[in-house]
Amino acid sequence: MTYVVTENCIRCKFTDCVEVCPVDCFYAGENFLVINPDECIDCGVCEPECPAEAIFPDSDDRATPWAELNAKYAAIWPNITRKIDAPADAEEWKDKPGKKDMLSPEPQKG
């Protein structure tokens, strides 16, 4: 089993989860984070740290449509190991439905 980042992270991109990950398995896109399923050790410490409640175990039905996307982008986006500031409008985007089309395929810059 692994953990999966889902739609609620899009445009929020809080990185509290990154800071607690013992194996540095998070990867950063322009407006979304993903977890590398081959690196995740299923410890679960990231899940309660996510202010957007966007992380679920892959056994949860809410994670299923996002598992492949996490694996895809983890292979091409840069690894992120430290907490960074969330976007200025992150709170406004938290809990908004229908954000999947807003997912940028671009990696995090800088």
Side-chain angles (χ1 to χ4, degrees):
M1 187 168 77
T2 185
Y3 280 79
V4 177
V5 182
T6 62
E7 182 176 29
N8 214 33
C9 180
I10 298 170
R11 300 218 41 187
C12 292
K13 198 178 158 188
F14 295 106
T15 55
D16 304 63
C17 53
V18 170
E19 194 159 81
V20 298
C21 180
V23 294
D24 298 333
C25 67
F26 281 87
Y27 291 78
E30 183 176 40
N31 67 357
F32 187 61
L33 297 173
V34 295
I35 294 172
N36 184 322
D38 295 329
E39 296 173 355
C40 179
I41 59 170
D42 188 30
C43 68
V45 297
C46 58
E47 185 179 18
E49 295 300 317
C50 178
E53 297 180 359
I55 300 173
F56 299 98
D58 65 358
S59 58
D60 188 305
D61 289 343
R62 294 170 289 185
T64 303
W66 293 90
E68 187 176 317
L69 194 136
N70 273 241
K72 172 185 173 180
Y73 287 115
I76 57 176
W77 285 349
N79 185 243
I80 182 169
T81 60
R82 291 192 191 134
K83 183 177 177 177
I84 59 172
D85 292 336
D89 61 350
E91 285 293 334
E92 295 171 37
W93 286 102
K94 184 178 165 188
D95 299 323
K96 285 195 177 181
K99 298 189 290 183
K100 186 172 184 177
D101 290 340
M102 296 177 190
L103 174 62
S104 171
E106 297 300 315
Q108 176 176 293
K109 294 176 176 70

